[in-house]
Amino acid sequence: MKNIRLFILTLMAAAFLISGCGIKILPKTTQEGIIDTRHNSISKEKDGIKITVRSMEWYHDPSFLDEYFTPIFFLIKNEKAQKITVSYKDLIMFDDMGNQYNAVPPEKVNELLLARDYYPFYPYYPYYPYTETVIIREREGTYTTFGFGMPLFYYYRRSFSNISLYALSEGDIHPNAQVRGFIYFAKADKQSKELKIKVKIDEVEQEFEFILQK
């Protein structure tokens, strides 16, 4: 069984390496605002609304989220004397090819991911053994060998609760309060080189520009 466990660990390590070779989304340094290249953030303030946008910030489960979506972290602070309102329809991403990407509600992101099929040895997904024949029990779990000495698995689809848990909520922001969370956009076209996120809150518009480094 040591060889089997070594085989599984090798596949997991390979998946980690592959997941780390994706496209980097970096702040464009020629724009106005406070640019922090170390944390991939852009901060801008206008008419009492301060917004900080950070890319490359998703470190939660599911780790493969950026294979299908572009999660962008937002911190929005209201320094006005009255409430302001955040709505997904007013958060839009564009690329340099003219493609538009609307914000996708977290529950829709979860639904779309659950409709996908994942490979049985993907390290970030909970797997449960198919138990019809010979069972070999170990500390790490139960495997079915079918007489070939190889573990066969099936997967159980579960909801990715972190997607909603860490999402930016729609609604009002009271004076001197702030909200934070992720906005999910569809994955940009492979040929895209730049991204621009347009934010409109109570008639105050701001833009945040990023470049795609492949």
Side-chain angles (χ1 to χ4, degrees):
M1 296 302 295
K2 289 184 178 180
N3 291 335
I4 294 173
R5 295 174 67 181
L6 179 61
F7 175 70
I8 295 174
L9 290 174
T10 301
L11 288 176
M12 291 174 65
F16 275 115
L17 289 174
I18 292 173
S19 63
C21 298
I23 296 176
K24 294 182 179 180
I25 304 175
L26 307 175
K28 195 172 183 179
T29 57
T30 56
Q31 63 188 302
E32 296 181 355
I34 301 174
I35 313 299
D36 185 345
T37 55
R38 181 180 178 183
H39 297 97
N40 299 317
S41 72
I42 307 168
S43 296
K44 297 187 179 186
E45 185 173 1
K46 184 178 180 180
D47 296 341
I49 300 177
K50 184 177 181 179
I51 303 176
T52 298
V53 178
R54 293 204 299 263
S55 62
M56 311 290 293
E57 191 69 14
W58 181 264
Y59 302 110
H60 310 287
D61 177 50
S63 301
F64 51 80
L65 178 63
D66 60 359
E67 294 180 15
Y68 303 100
F69 294 92
T70 301
I72 301 293
F73 183 83
F74 280 78
L75 174 62
I76 304 175
K77 184 174 183 179
N78 179 17
E79 297 178 344
K80 299 168 72 71
Q82 64 273 5
K83 294 188 295 185
I84 60 175
T85 303
V86 176
S87 177
Y88 290 153
K89 66 180 178 63
D90 295 324
L91 304 170
I92 306 173
M93 186 174 75
F94 300 87
D95 65 16
D96 55 307
M97 300 176 65
N99 296 310
Q100 175 177 318
Y101 308 90
N102 297 330
V104 184
E107 60 272 12
K108 186 64 176 180
V109 174
N110 184 70
E111 176 186 334
L112 292 171
L113 285 181
L114 288 176
R116 304 291 302 180
D117 288 324
Y118 300 103
Y119 293 103
F121 288 104
Y122 210 96
Y124 313 122
Y125 210 77
Y127 300 106
Y128 298 85
Y130 183 70
T131 55
E132 276 192 1
T133 59
V134 181
I135 301 298
I136 297 179
R137 296 186 181 277
E138 289 191 341
R139 293 180 182 177
E140 300 300 329
T142 302
Y143 307 101
T144 302
T145 66
F146 286 88
F148 297 105
M150 289 290 294
L152 300 176
F153 295 83
Y154 76 94
Y155 54 83
Y156 173 75
R157 291 179 177 175
R158 63 174 173 82
S159 177
F160 301 104
S161 60
N162 284 337
I163 292 173
S164 294
L165 182 64
Y166 295 113
L168 180 73
S169 299
E170 293 182 298
D172 294 336
I173 305 177
H174 289 260
N176 299 314
Q178 64 184 23
V179 297
R180 65 183 67 202
F182 285 93
I183 293 294
Y184 308 104
F185 300 97
K187 190 174 180 65
D189 189 281
K190 293 182 179 179
Q191 304 302 319
S192 303
K193 296 181 180 179
E194 296 185 4
L195 295 176
K196 178 184 294 184
I197 299 175
K198 292 187 177 183
V199 181
K200 182 179 179 181
I201 301 178
D202 288 4
E203 304 305 320
V204 177
E205 297 186 21
Q206 299 196 60
E207 296 184 356
F208 302 84
E209 298 177 272
F210 294 87
I211 59 172
L212 299 179
Q213 187 179 92
K214 303 178 182 180

